[in-house]
Amino acid sequence: TVDNGQVTDAALPLPGWTHAYSGKVRDLYRPEDGSEDRMLVVASDRVSAFDVVLEPGIPGKGTLLTTLSLWWFDQLSGADGGIRIPNHLAASHELTLGADGIANTADDVQRLIPDAVAGRAMVVKALAMQPVECVVRGYLTGSGWAEYQESGTVCGIPLPEGLANGDRLPEPIFTPAYKAPMGQHDENISYEQTAELVGADLAAQLRDASLEIYARAAAIAEARGLILADTKFEFGLDAEGVLTLADEVLTSDSSRYWDAETWRSGATPADRMASFDKQIVRDWLAANWDKTGTAPTLPAEIVEQTSAKYRELLARLTAA
Ligand code: ATP
Ligand code: MG
């Protein structure tokens, strides 16, 4: 997936762990002792858009993504108001935010996380990952808006006429994408294709879980003045075959967050969708690159704005 030399930088040798795989943003490690139940997921500062890794990285992004994920896993697993779907965090991965705003975890898990990656790593259950990116959209924008303008549908789902970029959908929709193997682009698929890929039973589980988690998370975000416009989940099966929420969750990489107040009052699409996520990078890249050849280097101000927005999102979510 990453072929420009960054993997070798990123895949640090870590005591107790053996490097297994690097995605565009995360590096995965297996326990050195060969046990197969756990993995270490390390979030790097790498940033990707349109399925390519860009230069330079966003300083501190790995820590921000990990902290956001841990905060959301914690929110979603509460006894009241939690979701029914278990997550991949190792059992005692408790969250407390330190004075520095960085996630601390319970001692026994913390001991497994090497100092070199402290704050940006999670010890997780190793799962059989499903090859489907489970996207939920509550609002119309991005590739959904592009398809809607062409055909009045999003991922084949017909929508009412007359919607504008950034409008709220009548109800959230599940719009899965096939998680393409290394080097290929992920591709939107219909629900029927999802059922062919993973079986009807699992497809229904993925859809229902995704819609449930989105609804819960959108309500939590709304209480903090934020719109969760859309997001992407990944699920795996544990050793007993139980569907488990994995990967990062509800981060500014995997989600679009907008300010609710400016969305309501905003005059232009840019106002309405003032975002706390990777959109800054996507917009700059779309304006400065024709998606052939090597992507241009991100200017310092785009790097700084992105990092500031990620920090602001974390602060707004965790303030209450
Ligand atoms: P690709 O794998 O195509 O590069 P990506 O760029 O999204 O996709 P990253 O997000 O950087 O990859 O890396 C995270 C990888 O870890 C993903 O392949 C994801 O499916 C996998 N993963 C996440 N959680 C788990 C888990 N609990 N067990 C096994 N694999 C996991
Ligand atoms: Mg990923």
Side-chain angles (χ1 to χ4, degrees):
T1 358
V2 182
D3 58 7
N4 53 11
Q6 290 173 310
V7 168
T8 21
D9 293 349
L12 297 169
L14 295 178
W17 300 92
T18 308
H19 177 247
Y21 173 76
S22 287
K24 287 181 285 288
V25 173
R26 271 158 283 276
D27 303 305
L28 268 64
Y29 293 79
R30 293 188 182 284
E32 207 166 54
D33 67 10
S35 54
E36 291 188 346
D37 53 334
R38 287 189 166 192
M39 292 190 88
L40 186 72
V41 179
V42 179
S44 74
D45 289 350
R46 297 192 294 270
V47 60
S48 75
F50 308 121
D51 282 335
V52 293
V53 178
L54 305 167
E55 289 286 353
I58 311 286
K61 177 170 171 283
T63 302
L64 286 164
L65 290 184
T66 301
T67 307
L68 271 172
S69 288
L70 291 173
W71 186 82
W72 274 115
F73 279 129
D74 188 59
Q75 291 288 310
L76 296 171
S77 64
D80 43 75
I83 52 162
R84 292 169 300 130
I85 303 101
N87 72 54
H88 70 160
L89 292 184
S92 47
H93 226 304
E94 269 167 34
L95 171 76
T96 49
L97 291 183
D100 50 5
I102 291 175
N104 297 315
T105 47
D107 283 353
D108 53 341
V109 169
Q110 197 64 61
R111 253 187 287 111
L112 298 173
I113 299 182
D115 290 344
V117 294
R120 59 187 182 94
M122 303 185 291
V123 180
V124 304
K125 261 190 195 180
L127 301 173
M129 296 301 291
Q130 297 303 300
V132 180
E133 308 229 307
C134 294
V135 179
V136 180
R137 300 165 198 263
Y139 291 73
L140 184 62
T141 191
S143 69
W145 168 239
E147 181 184 327
Y148 175 78
Q149 286 174 287
E150 299 254 304
S151 60
T153 61
V154 174
C155 293
I157 300 170
L159 294 175
E161 280 174 39
L163 294 175
N165 193 4
D167 275 359
R168 185 176 187 154
L169 297 172
E171 58 185 351
I173 54 174
F174 176 61
T175 58
Y178 174 60
K179 205 168 150 54
M182 290 209 190
Q184 296 169 30
H185 290 281
D186 297 344
E187 171 192 348
N188 287 346
I189 54 175
S190 66
Y191 183 72
E192 289 67 33
Q193 288 171 299
T194 308
E196 276 165 33
L197 206 59
V198 299
D201 177 60
L202 201 47
Q205 285 192 55
L206 292 173
R207 179 196 56 203
D208 296 349
S210 299
L211 290 170
E212 179 182 343
I213 303 166
Y214 173 85
R216 181 80 198 109
I220 292 171
E222 199 181 316
R224 290 156 172 83
L226 292 162
I227 288 175
L228 178 62
D230 55 34
T231 193
K232 181 221 53 170
F233 304 110
E234 287 187 38
F235 296 88
L237 299 178
D238 73 6
E240 282 76 47
V242 175
L243 190 73
T244 305
L245 180 60
D247 208 53
E248 61 176 350
V249 275
L250 297 155
T251 69
S252 22
D253 267 11
S254 66
S255 321
R256 286 191 174 90
Y257 285 97
W258 301 334
D259 180 78
E261 188 49 43
T262 57
W263 181 81
R264 271 191 290 274
S265 60
T268 68
D271 283 346
R272 295 179 76 199
M273 295 180 276
S275 70
F276 295 89
D277 54 56
K278 212 165 66 173
Q279 198 61 34
I280 306 158
V281 173
R282 290 193 203 97
D283 289 348
W284 183 85
L285 206 60
N288 291 281
W289 187 42
D290 64 2
K291 297 190 193 170
T292 60
T294 310
T297 301
L298 296 173
E301 67 267 22
I302 297 295
V303 171
E304 180 41 46
Q305 281 170 27
T306 304
S307 136
K309 284 297 171 189
Y310 278 41
R311 279 183 268 128
E312 197 180 338
L313 175 67
L314 180 66
R316 285 186 60 167
L317 283 172
T318 59

